[in-house]
Amino acid sequence: MSKEQKKDQRFLSVIEKIGNKLPDPAFLFVLLALITIAASALAAQFDLSVTYEGFNAETGEIESITTAVNNLLSIDGIHYMVTNVISNFTSFFPLGPVFTIVLGVSVMEGTGMLSVLLRRIVSKTPKAFISAMVVFLGIMSNIASSTGYIVLVPLGAIIFFASKRHPIAGLAAAYAGVSGGWTANLLLGTNDPLYAGISTQAANILDPNYIVHPTGNWFFMVASTFLVTIIGTYITDKIVEPRLPKYHFSDDDQVDAITQHEKRGLKFAGIAEAIFLIVMGILVLPENALLRNPETGEILTSPFMTGIIFFMMVFFLVPGIAYGIVSRQIKKSKDVTDLMTEGIAGIANFLVLIFFAAQFTAFFAHSNLGTILSVNGAQLLTTIGLTGLPLLLLFILLTMVINIIMPVDTAKWVMMAPIFIPMFLQVGLSPEVTQLAFRIGDSTTNIITPLMPFFVMIVAYFEKYDEDAGIGSVVSTMLPYSGAFLVGWLILLTVWYALGLPIGPGAPITL
């Protein structure tokens, strides 16, 4: 290990120690909520507010919006907090998707099918490519929006475990792929038309005829897929896994060869899955299929994509039940619900965490502190006077900072697009490249911000494999990915800009 590597390891260890000295994650969110309440009261004393051009959700028009801080210690603020505790929890985005997916995965895992399937994958995959495979699958999972956080991250740990490698390294590789993959994919996902719609509305402030297509960042995203896979693999193998303490595998952790009985179970599970996929194909692929958008016929904006979490649950449930019946793990219907109950019991720690995380997130959003800080940062950027590539790079850095305190990407882009797209248009930068710069900054710090909705789930998974792990462990483990992705993307964007390459079909960098 070189001197530089030793310095990096010491730096990450310091971050981990400091982070893990913080209170238990649940109580940390309580503390953050109290700080938010106090900050909102202080800001209200100074009548803090911001005015910016934004979308009116009721009218659908772009207009001047003034946002003032909401004092959470006022009578209205106190009433809001005490009357919304339950709805804050039940409406917290990760709760429903995680709960639903676990119902299906728990059956597949409880019957033993998941273990057998992953052992087979590991046996067929050269060990040198395990990390790359996990990172790549994490990236591709973003086709279905946030499903990768729920499905791929825990599977990354299991795949590494089956390979006799540290499961936390697998968690990190999958998490890096999913978060970094927000600006990378070989295919278009559910977020692309959403971003494009917001960007089009923002561009129409200056040019009523400008249209940003969902494919506007596609060329750059394809290149980023390989970039993130290569960087993520290197960081996992050379930096993250070497600094993890040795994981002690017990005798019960031995990975046995797959038996003929298990192969038979996988065969029937495969047949059941194939039937399910054929049925789904009939419901989705034909031009007038039942699950397509009834008005436009599109798939990306269809009931299928809206209900993707449910279909993912069934995707795991169907082969799990088939395998369980063949292996005699499932003999009656109650066995299925028992397996589901065991799966939900396994995420009890996560449910406790998100109760408190949901309160903090809701309080912070209601206070409007995030909007005020973000708009002030944007206005600061407009006064600097840069153009071209330096302006894009600075915008990426600003987005990274804003993402730490306001990690919900669509809400952030709804606020930022009407500010930056017209501003950048006036200096010759296309709406597509402005959107791309935003996505790069957003993806880079998704990995390390504790305010990201799925962060509490990642902490819970870390604790599953290391009871002493905490927020500091997660941040210190993921920080090398964040820094490396940033450097990689800045270099890639600089080269792309210098060569004047289109970032998508019909989407130039400059106009």
Side-chain angles (χ1 to χ4, degrees):
M1 184 180 294
S2 68
K3 289 184 178 180
E4 288 299 320
Q5 288 176 318
K6 290 180 179 178
K7 286 182 180 179
D8 291 341
Q9 298 287 16
R10 285 197 295 268
F11 172 70
L12 295 174
S13 296
V14 169
I15 291 177
E16 181 175 8
K17 287 179 181 178
I18 294 174
N20 287 343
K21 287 185 181 296
L22 294 171
D24 177 81
F27 284 100
L28 180 61
F29 284 112
V30 172
L31 179 61
L32 290 172
L34 293 175
I35 292 173
T36 298
I37 294 169
S40 71
L42 180 62
Q45 294 300 311
F46 293 94
D47 296 323
L48 292 186
S49 65
V50 290
T51 300
Y52 60 98
E53 293 297 310
F55 298 118
N56 186 315
E58 295 180 0
T59 64
E61 300 292 330
I62 297 195
E63 56 188 55
S64 182
I65 297 175
T66 298
T67 299
V69 68
N70 283 325
N71 183 359
L72 293 173
L73 278 182
S74 66
I75 293 176
D76 289 342
I78 292 172
H79 287 176
Y80 163 79
M81 289 188 290
V82 299
T83 59
N84 286 276
V85 169
I86 294 175
S87 61
N88 290 343
F89 175 59
T90 56
S91 62
F92 193 54
F93 176 70
L95 177 62
V98 170
F99 194 96
T100 303
I101 290 290
V102 166
L103 292 179
V105 173
S106 59
V107 174
M108 182 184 277
E109 184 176 15
T111 58
M113 179 191 163
L114 185 59
S115 173
V116 174
L117 179 62
L118 292 176
R119 278 156 47 199
R120 189 172 187 101
I121 291 173
V122 169
S123 67
K124 299 294 184 181
T125 305
K127 287 195 173 183
F129 295 105
I130 291 292
S131 297
M133 177 184 70
V134 170
V135 175
F136 177 75
L137 290 177
I139 295 170
M140 296 303 297
S141 70
N142 287 315
I143 296 171
S145 189
S146 301
T147 306
Y149 288 108
I150 306 162
V151 178
L152 257 299
V153 174
L155 287 186
I158 298 173
I159 289 173
F160 269 54
F161 182 90
S163 304
K164 287 295 187 178
R165 296 179 60 182
H166 203 299
I168 287 181
L171 279 175
Y175 186 29
V178 173
S179 285
W182 224 240
T183 309
N185 217 298
L186 299 180
L187 304 172
L188 297 180
T190 54
N191 288 311
D192 293 290
L194 185 60
Y195 282 132
I198 297 170
S199 299
T200 296
Q201 287 182 293
N204 292 161
I205 295 174
L206 289 184
D207 184 350
N209 299 317
Y210 201 102
I211 297 176
V212 178
H213 296 284
T215 56
N217 296 153
W218 187 37
F219 293 163
F220 193 90
M221 288 171 60
V222 170
S224 294
T225 301
F226 299 100
L227 176 75
V228 172
T229 300
I230 293 169
I231 293 176
T233 301
Y234 178 84
I235 297 296
T236 301
D237 294 345
K238 302 300 182 181
I239 296 178
V240 169
E241 193 166 19
R243 70 176 294 268
L244 292 170
K246 183 177 176 61
Y247 190 83
H248 298 286
F249 294 89
S250 66
D251 293 338
D252 295 333
D253 294 333
Q254 297 298 322
V255 180
D256 300 322
I258 299 174
T259 65
Q260 289 300 318
H261 182 67
E262 290 170 335
K263 289 180 180 178
R264 183 169 177 267
L266 284 181
K267 178 181 178 181
F268 278 88
I271 293 172
E273 189 71 281
I275 293 172
F276 167 72
L277 293 175
I278 290 171
V279 171
M280 291 305 302
I282 294 172
L283 294 175
V284 174
L285 296 179
E287 185 176 349
N288 296 314
L290 179 64
L291 293 179
R292 279 181 177 256
N293 187 313
E295 296 179 358
T296 65
E298 294 180 352
I299 294 178
L300 287 176
T301 58
S302 66
F304 169 70
M305 295 308 295
T306 303
I308 191 68
I309 296 296
F310 167 73
F311 295 121
M312 289 295 295
M313 184 266 282
V314 180
F315 177 85
F316 290 105
L317 184 62
V318 167
I321 291 176
Y323 182 90
I325 292 174
V326 172
S327 65
R328 305 295 293 166
Q329 297 292 320
I330 295 176
K331 299 177 182 177
K332 53 185 182 295
S333 59
K334 187 176 182 299
D335 293 336
V336 176
T337 55
D338 285 345
L339 291 173
M340 290 180 174
T341 302
E342 291 176 11
I344 295 301
I347 63 168
N349 187 36
F350 167 68
L351 297 177
V352 173
L353 277 175
I354 66 170
F355 176 82
F356 296 103
Q359 307 311 319
F360 161 67
T361 302
F363 292 174
F364 190 77
H366 186 76
S367 72
N368 288 331
L369 289 171
T371 300
I372 291 172
L373 291 171
S374 300
V375 173
N376 282 326
Q379 291 172 348
L380 174 64
L381 184 57
T382 63
T383 64
I384 295 177
L386 294 177
T387 60
L389 181 62
L391 181 61
L392 286 174
L393 299 182
L394 189 58
F395 179 52
I396 290 173
L397 298 179
L398 176 67
T399 304
M400 290 172 58
V401 174
I402 292 176
N403 191 51
I404 296 291
I405 59 172
M406 192 178 181
V408 180
D409 55 345
T410 51
K412 193 163 58 262
W413 190 229
V414 163
M415 182 197 72
M416 295 175 68
I419 300 171
F420 288 103
I421 283 183
M423 182 179 79
F424 285 17
L425 262 172
Q426 293 180 72
V427 295
L429 293 172
S430 71
E432 288 87 353
V433 78
T434 306
Q435 174 184 284
L436 175 63
F438 166 80
R439 296 178 74 171
I440 290 173
D442 179 71
S443 300
T444 303
T445 46
N446 266 346
I447 310 172
I448 57 173
T449 173
L451 303 189
M452 201 269 290
F454 290 101
F455 189 85
V456 290
M457 184 186 75
I458 307 303
V459 173
Y461 283 129
F462 265 65
E463 291 176 341
K464 178 179 179 180
Y465 297 102
D466 180 2
E467 60 182 16
D468 296 324
I471 290 177
S473 302
V474 178
V475 173
S476 64
T477 300
M478 302 311 301
L479 193 58
Y481 293 102
S482 183
F485 289 162
L486 174 62
V487 172
W489 265 319
L490 293 183
I491 293 173
L492 182 62
L493 182 60
T494 299
V495 172
W496 216 281
Y497 188 95
L499 296 176
L501 300 174
I503 53 177
I509 292 178
T510 58
L511 298 175

